Amino acid sequence: MALDSKIPSGPISDKWTNYKDHINLVNPANKRNLDIIIVGTGLAGGSAAATLAELGYNVKAFCFQDSPRRAHSIAAQGGINAAKNYKGDGDSVHRLFYDTVKGGDYRAREANVHRLAEVSGNIIDQCVAQGVPLAREYGGLLDNRSFGGTLVSRTFYAQGQTGQQLLLGAYSAMNRQIGRGKVKMHNRHEMLDLVIVNGKARGIIARNLVTGEIERHSAHAVVIASGGYGNVFFLSTNAMGSNATAAWKIHKKGAFFANPCYTQIHPTCIPVSGDHQSKLTLMSESLRNDGRIWVPAKLEDAQAIREGKKKATDLSEVERDYFLERRYPAFGNLVPRDVASRAAKERCDAGFGVNKTGEAVYLDFAAAIQRYGNEQAYVKGLDTKDTKLVTKLGTEIVKSKYGNLFQMYYKIVDEDPYTSPMMIYPAVHYTMGGTWVDYNLQTTIPGCFSIGESNFSDHGANRLGASALMQGLADGYFVLPYTIGDYLAPDIKMGTISTDLPEFIAAEKAVKDQIDKFINNKGTHSVDYFHKKLGKIMWDKVGMARNEKGLNEAIVEIAALREEFYKEVKVPGDANGLNQELEKATRVADFLELGELFAKDALHRNESCGGHFREEYQTEEGEAQRDDENFAYVAAWEYTGKPSEAVLHKEPLVFDNVKLVQRSYK
Amino acid sequence: MKLTLKIWRQKNAATEGKIVEYPIDHIEPDMSFLEMLDILNDELIMKGDEPIAFDHDCREGICGMCSLYINGEAHGPDRGVTTCQLHMRMFKDGDTIFIEPFRAKAFPVIKDLVVDRSSFDRIQHAGGFISVNTSGNTIDANTIPINKKDADTAFDAAACIGCGACVATCKNSSAMLFVAAKVSQYALLPQGRIEATDRVLNMVSQMDAEGFGNCTNTGACEVECPKGISLENIARMNREYMSASLKG
Ligand SMILES: Cc1cc2nc3c(=O)[nH]c(=O)nc-3n(C[C@H](O)[C@H](O)[C@H](O)COP(=O)(O)OP(=O)(O)OC[C@H]3O[C@@H](n4cnc5c(N)ncnc54)[C@H](O)[C@@H]3O)c2cc1C
Ligand code: SF4
Ligand code: FES
């Protein structure tokens, strides 16, 4: 099967407008005759559900939590980008487009990114109209801040809870439609398979997580908005329930999976403290505006700190290595996420780590406290030589900027970050890969769409901060509502699709068989045991830096682990009711396949780009070395029975509007 | 640390529940409360018992999914945190800890420590929104200037995570703080004022229909709320309600 990205012709800035002018529309009276299933109610799915219902379609929405308000989007901290140029600092649709393509290391599709930039401004208008309380300036206008990888202030935010407020906005829009009966919400339901009838997606099989009942749901189109697959690493900043099942199940039914190896590792997370750890907590990137990152300059000092014989504050300025400032004088602590993460790992691997496990670096606010304190003392006409006073004033400023994050750190680590530097380490955060979609956001299965983090679109090999929220809402509010209409137009006379069709019966049986197998398996280990093992292989061999040898080993080890899982997993309880172990088992089963494809994708891509760093492909200075000649394509994998036998399809990436250059932050 | 856990076990909504005792050892102070339960569950699974069902997702205090009534307090003994942010350093070696589900008529138990809080959603369906189309034809955001103080106060109210601790804590199982937070968010913003009357009347009447109790101004909800939602919001909602009743 050949990949057709369906990019409209014409100049890039006119593509989306021309496209909208020429697609098929569905008359409002006919939309009532069309059903759409949406799996996931985060920013992408929630905004899509609200909009499609408002247009008149019958929407059936699903999420595994007890309420759409709890989708993982709720956790996003920093902000959302939009090319509004409210600051008059020269932002424009073109600049947002350009920054995103460059930030993604030239591995994203130009036409999609441009469309994203075009609709970005609308998102802010929409959210404000919905009553989302975004940050304001004293004059009453919206405030902005800047984020890594850009030179303009285009990030809108709501304190450190931007995702929460945007999601509650989408949730409220959904609630309005649920109240009107246009969205039928299925909480605590998990999609476990896709149903294809005559080559088109026509429904899903879902498990009611409360009663255990396996249900058939039909529709004229199915939209997957199930989020990212970072939890394949077990430890990540993702919510515990985040999983790949919906995306993986459609992959097994024919949807190509694109660029699985593109994973973003976020540099500023609270380090792992022990084996009991269940997840990692992000400390917002905004901290790097004021925090300086360092490790001890001498190995013996690092060792003394690890053994508790010395404290960070015992080391003088010259005994510290501010390695980002040293290596990247131009960007310093504000280099993009992939660069900052690798540099921290490099120092820790060399023995300079500062916590018990040797996997942590310092994020130090002492200098910022002094700087702000001095400024305040000066402004207030107080004695700038009074160190106690200066520290107090400076601490107050830092508290007003980052107080909630410092509090979060204190609760978890039990150490006061105002007086001793924070310890941070990179963690798995966001997955740029996902189901391959064309310009219409349709997968390679007709009638099956994928939006938000679950698709591979828009971010290339690396995502800039504050861009995921933008993409999720763009897809849901403003893109899918057009493209899905174009697809559905021929179906208006079709009538409801029966769930008694043999395809539904067969899919339901397959799901029930898998569940029975888990429940009846008399294994010796819990699901988490396997998930943690998978996570360790992934982190050690398919993590921040990869090489051919490690990847080959990982592929073999994951396949073996999968086999052991099916023999040895133990799922207590039964299937007729709430069974959280069973839920985990079905998810981990899919991670165990996805992990292998992930490693296979990383192995075939003989270059380094963005979130994919192959040790063999680096410059003399240790920077990522792209190979545009051979790898400027999207790797879209077709499932043929086993992850190891997946077939590679290439979508060549054409750059007519931006010039491919080496990213440099020196 | 060595602890004795007394945990509510209940097979499903139709079955009666009871407290069951579990000893646990080797608990580190830097574990979270839910990680401590993970360890217990792993032990139960290895013994062939059913693990304890409890709700959780983000494990960083923002999704509102975790609940738990710990030693008689919603989200346990620490202040300003959710159960997932509670750490074992709040307990001492040898402690006995009671762990129960949030109890309220409007939050029926589904299993063990998992309760059904969909009544909160239904209150939101009744009016927790602004009736604006999602078609993208809205006016430019900066044509609605909002006083920074109002925007910040609206944000503070909007920070409610819908966890239900306020209900679980209240001796009347009232949902006033939760509903007031949403009503307040919109009451402080120019958008959506046009439907303010219907909103507050509809949400309050749905709240009553769900079986939540009345508010008698004891203020326990504010103390246990992990997000510091203040009682001021209840006063603001009462004002909205009064003026709506006069109009309505
Ligand atoms: C800690 C953190 C901070 C972040 N900060 C930012 C930021 O500041 N700015 C930014 O732009 N991005 C940020 N991101 C990234 C961003 O939050 C996510 O990429 C984005 O919210 C994903 O939205 P989504 O709608 O695609 O998926 P999600 O919000 O993850 O929603 C997934 C939905 O799918 C449902 N689901 C999944 N599987 C199934 C199934 N099988 N059956 C039924 N339902 C299912 C879930 O119930 C849920 O409703 C952050 C991410 C993290 C982890
Ligand atoms: S008001 Fe507070 S306690 Fe009540 S649901 Fe909201 S966050 Fe939870
Ligand atoms: S698990 Fe999300 S708030 Fe506790």
Side-chain angles (χ1 to χ4, degrees):
Chain A
M1 180 184 172
L3 280 174
D4 180 0
S5 55
K6 306 219 175 77
I7 301 170
S9 57
I12 193 143
S13 51
D14 299 340
K15 281 184 198 290
W16 179 232
T17 310
N18 286 342
Y19 171 94
K20 286 192 290 183
D21 287 346
H22 293 100
I23 50 170
N24 291 314
L25 296 179
V26 182
N27 150 354
N30 286 331
K31 290 192 181 119
R32 265 179 253 138
N33 304 326
L34 293 167
D35 305 326
I36 299 173
I37 283 175
I38 300 180
V39 178
T41 52
L43 282 179
S47 56
T51 311
L52 293 171
E54 181 176 302
L55 288 171
Y57 297 104
N58 304 312
V59 174
K60 306 180 192 177
F62 294 78
C63 74
F64 63 74
Q65 293 94 344
D66 67 336
S67 164
R69 67 174 297 143
R70 312 215 199 275
H72 176 55
S73 294
I74 201 99
Q77 299 173 348
I80 176 167
N81 287 336
K84 278 287 205 183
N85 196 26
Y86 280 163
K87 296 280 157 199
D89 56 2
D91 200 9
S92 65
V93 166
H94 181 80
R95 256 182 215 284
L96 175 52
F97 158 70
Y98 174 82
D99 287 344
T100 310
V101 172
K102 176 189 172 206
D105 228 346
Y106 309 94
R107 291 293 175 264
R109 193 189 284 150
E110 274 194 345
N112 285 52
V113 181
H114 200 277
R115 174 175 67 189
L116 175 67
E118 282 175 61
V119 304
S120 65
N122 252 332
I123 299 174
I124 303 303
D125 300 340
Q126 182 66 48
C127 294
V128 167
Q130 284 167 353
V132 172
L134 292 170
R136 299 271 163 176
E137 293 173 339
Y138 281 101
L141 302 179
L142 287 156
D143 195 11
N144 291 115
R145 58 183 169 202
S146 60
F147 244 64
T150 63
L151 297 168
V152 292
S153 228
R154 65 159 73 102
T155 307
F156 295 78
Y157 66 101
Q159 292 192 13
Q161 280 134 269
T162 317
Q164 175 190 41
Q165 291 308 318
L166 295 174
L167 182 66
L168 293 182
Y171 166 70
S172 70
M174 271 185 90
N175 282 331
R176 176 163 166 254
Q177 301 301 335
I178 295 173
R180 295 172 63 203
K182 289 303 293 180
V183 171
K184 180 102 188 51
M185 186 64 219
H186 300 265
N187 299 325
R188 292 200 196 262
H189 272 69
E190 182 140 345
M191 167 191 166
L192 291 176
D193 209 355
L194 179 76
V195 181
I196 296 180
V197 182
N198 295 330
K200 291 181 172 176
R202 293 299 193 192
I204 63 168
I205 305 297
R207 180 167 183 269
N208 177 329
L209 301 179
V210 176
T211 64
E213 204 177 324
I214 305 298
E215 301 172 359
R216 306 176 203 167
H217 296 273
S218 68
H220 298 88
V222 175
V223 180
I224 304 296
S226 59
Y229 52 87
N231 275 353
V232 66
F233 286 86
F234 185 71
L235 286 181
S236 83
T237 63
N238 288 5
M240 298 293 286
S242 297
N243 67 90
T245 289
W248 193 253
K249 287 290 159 50
I250 65 168
H251 173 57
K252 290 176 90 166
K253 286 266 164 105
F256 291 2
F257 208 100
N259 301 334
C261 78
Y262 289 170
T263 307
Q264 182 154 77
I265 313 276
H266 199 292
T268 52
C269 300
I270 299 180
V272 179
S273 72
D275 288 340
H276 60 268
Q277 192 128 1
S278 57
K279 72 153 274 166
L280 296 171
T281 302
L282 179 78
M283 292 280 101
S284 169
E285 183 164 27
S286 60
L287 290 176
R288 283 198 284 144
N289 283 315
D290 280 313
R292 296 180 74 193
I293 293 176
W294 62 275
V295 290
K298 284 183 294 206
L299 274 172
E300 59 265 32
D301 281 341
Q303 191 174 352
I305 285 177
R306 281 198 297 272
E307 288 166 357
K309 290 181 191 142
K310 266 190 181 170
K311 291 200 302 282
T313 42
D314 294 338
L315 299 195
S316 67
E317 207 55 23
V318 291
E319 292 170 314
R320 303 172 176 197
D321 174 18
Y322 294 93
F323 55 93
L324 289 177
E325 298 169 34
R326 167 168 60 77
R327 278 177 69 171
Y328 309 98
F331 276 68
N333 293 299
L334 284 173
V335 290
R337 295 170 177 182
D338 53 332
V339 178
S341 297
R342 277 196 297 274
K345 179 180 191 299
E346 190 275 331
R347 284 294 80 191
C348 291
D349 287 351
F352 294 92
V354 294
N355 68 346
K356 265 188 255 164
T357 61
E359 292 191 324
V361 301
Y362 287 128
L363 177 63
D364 198 337
F365 292 85
I369 289 175
Q370 291 309 313
R371 186 172 40 143
Y372 285 125
N374 250 311
E375 205 175 285
Q376 284 296 306
Y378 183 81
V379 168
K380 292 185 172 149
L382 301 169
D383 181 7
T384 53
K385 299 238 157 44
D386 181 344
T387 46
K388 244 175 116 181
L389 174 81
V390 166
T391 306
K392 183 174 160 278
L393 292 172
T395 304
E396 275 164 19
I397 299 286
V398 168
K399 194 176 240 159
S400 72
K401 294 181 85 164
Y402 310 113
N404 63 333
L405 295 168
F406 276 51
Q407 160 82 356
M408 206 149 130
Y409 181 87
Y410 171 70
K411 286 284 171 198
I412 294 175
V413 184
D414 200 28
E415 241 181 49
D416 178 13
Y418 293 102
T419 52
S420 56
M422 282 185 181
M423 286 178 289
I424 52 156
Y425 198 66
V428 173
H429 177 59
Y430 180 89
T431 46
M432 281 77 68
T435 22
W436 184 89
V437 288
D438 61 17
Y439 189 74
N440 300 325
L441 305 180
Q442 186 167 232
T443 68
T444 42
I445 302 171
C448 181
F449 295 77
S450 177
I451 59 176
E453 193 175 338
S454 79
N455 74 23
F456 87 108
S457 193
D458 300 11
H459 307 298
N462 183 43
R463 171 178 70 88
L464 287 182
S467 289
L469 301 182
M470 171 172 68
Q471 186 221 339
L473 289 178
D475 286 0
Y477 282 136
F478 304 127
V479 179
L480 183 75
Y482 288 97
T483 63
I484 204 170
D486 186 46
Y487 169 80
L488 286 170
D491 279 1
I492 50 176
K493 294 230 163 56
M494 185 166 197
T496 315
I497 293 156
S498 164
T499 53
D500 292 332
L501 294 169
E503 290 85 350
F504 276 92
I505 295 169
E508 183 189 88
K509 184 172 179 306
V511 164
K512 282 186 168 161
D513 287 350
Q514 191 201 25
I515 288 173
D516 285 347
K517 225 165 110 187
F518 282 133
I519 293 289
N520 296 321
N521 206 40
K522 298 280 167 272
T524 49
H525 294 293
S526 68
V527 178
D528 277 354
Y529 168 88
F530 293 99
H531 196 176
K532 285 182 181 172
K533 276 199 146 180
L534 172 66
K536 184 151 170 44
I537 301 172
M538 294 297 294
W539 183 249
D540 290 346
K541 296 180 174 164
V542 203
M544 246 192 292
R546 304 139 184 192
N547 58 47
E548 189 183 342
K549 179 169 166 286
L551 289 168
N552 274 316
E553 286 165 10
I555 290 171
V556 174
E557 288 169 25
I558 295 169
L561 185 65
R562 194 167 60 233
E563 211 167 294
E564 192 195 339
F565 169 78
Y566 281 106
K567 266 195 224 123
E568 293 299 336
V569 74
K570 178 169 182 161
V571 179
D574 57 47
N576 311 317
L578 187 74
N579 186 335
Q580 294 172 327
E581 284 300 303
L582 176 61
E583 291 167 28
K584 281 198 266 182
T586 57
R587 294 170 192 162
V588 171
D590 294 329
F591 279 139
L592 280 163
E593 294 185 1
L594 168 66
E596 188 178 331
L597 184 69
F598 191 133
K600 188 176 159 89
D601 184 45
L603 179 63
H604 107 281
R605 189 167 282 277
N606 290 329
E607 65 163 349
S608 291
C609 57
H612 166 65
F613 189 77
R614 277 284 298 273
E615 285 166 351
E616 303 92 325
Y617 307 99
Q618 49 181 309
T619 63
E620 271 170 21
E621 290 143 325
E623 306 301 336
Q625 179 100 62
R626 248 180 23 233
D627 177 356
D628 294 331
E629 188 121 339
N630 295 304
F631 288 96
Y633 62 75
V634 176
W637 298 92
E638 180 183 6
Y639 186 82
T640 58
K642 270 188 192 162
S644 57
E645 286 156 15
V647 173
L648 177 63
H649 298 262
K650 297 177 185 175
E651 179 199 337
L653 291 168
V654 182
F655 295 93
D656 292 327
N657 299 276
V658 292
K659 217 174 106 224
L660 275 70
V661 292
Q662 195 65 39
R663 282 161 79 217
S664 169
Y665 299 93
K666 295 266 168 193
Chain B
M1 287 191 273
K2 210 172 171 148
L3 303 161
T4 306
L5 305 175
K6 299 205 168 195
I7 305 180
W8 184 260
R9 300 299 313 252
Q10 181 171 345
K11 192 163 170 45
N12 52 42
T15 325
E16 249 180 77
K18 63 170 192 293
I19 293 274
V20 178
E21 188 176 304
Y22 300 93
I24 190 161
D25 200 355
H26 307 296
I27 295 301
E28 310 274 335
D30 64 352
M31 287 176 186
S32 76
F33 198 83
L34 298 185
E35 283 166 355
M36 183 272 294
L37 287 180
D38 290 343
I39 290 178
L40 174 66
N41 274 346
D42 222 56
E43 286 176 8
L44 292 178
I45 294 166
M46 291 329 292
K47 276 200 295 204
D49 290 345
E50 259 207 77
I52 292 141
F54 61 92
D55 263 333
H56 65 100
D57 199 19
C58 74
R59 293 208 176 185
E60 53 185 73
I62 190 76
C63 73
M65 186 103 175
C66 61
S67 48
L68 302 192
Y69 207 59
I70 302 162
N71 285 342
E73 282 184 280
H75 295 304
D78 206 356
R79 284 287 87 86
V81 296
T82 52
T83 299
C84 59
Q85 293 173 299
L86 178 68
H87 279 73
M88 295 313 292
R89 63 181 81 94
M90 294 298 293
F91 300 89
K92 288 193 309 290
D93 189 34
D95 274 359
T96 298
I97 308 176
F98 280 85
I99 311 172
E100 295 167 86
F102 279 3
R103 292 189 196 278
K105 184 169 151 237
F107 290 170
V109 173
I110 293 175
K111 180 176 184 172
D112 295 341
L113 305 168
V114 177
V115 299
D116 178 355
R117 285 168 286 186
S118 51
S119 47
F120 268 13
D121 280 329
R122 289 187 292 271
I123 295 172
Q124 306 278 335
H125 303 161
F129 48 79
I130 288 174
S131 298
V132 57
N133 282 356
T134 43
S135 55
N137 293 321
T138 41
I139 50 171
D140 183 83
N142 261 353
T143 50
I144 317 174
I146 300 174
N147 177 302
K148 178 165 165 48
K149 196 163 154 274
D150 287 341
D152 287 350
T153 317
F155 171 86
D156 289 342
C160 162
I161 55 172
C163 63
C166 45
V167 173
T169 299
C170 175
K171 63 180 195 306
N172 311 315
S173 299
S174 162
M176 279 293 261
L177 195 63
F178 168 77
V179 181
K182 198 74 207 169
V183 169
S184 285
Q185 176 191 344
Y186 295 139
L188 288 155
L189 299 172
Q191 308 93 310
R193 283 313 288 160
I194 204 142
E195 53 192 337
T197 304
D198 286 347
R199 175 181 306 118
V200 69
L201 294 177
N202 291 343
M203 287 180 82
V204 169
S205 101
Q206 186 64 35
M207 170 176 89
D208 293 340
E210 294 291 346
F212 291 102
N214 291 322
C215 171
T216 51
N217 287 315
T218 8
C221 51
E222 185 187 45
V223 178
E224 294 296 345
C225 171
K227 296 296 150 185
I229 305 295
S230 84
L231 288 177
E232 260 170 60
N233 292 297
I234 296 189
R236 194 176 292 110
M237 176 162 100
N238 283 336
R239 286 198 296 276
E240 290 268 305
Y241 188 76
M242 287 294 279
S243 85
S245 313
L246 291 175
K247 273 191 233 154

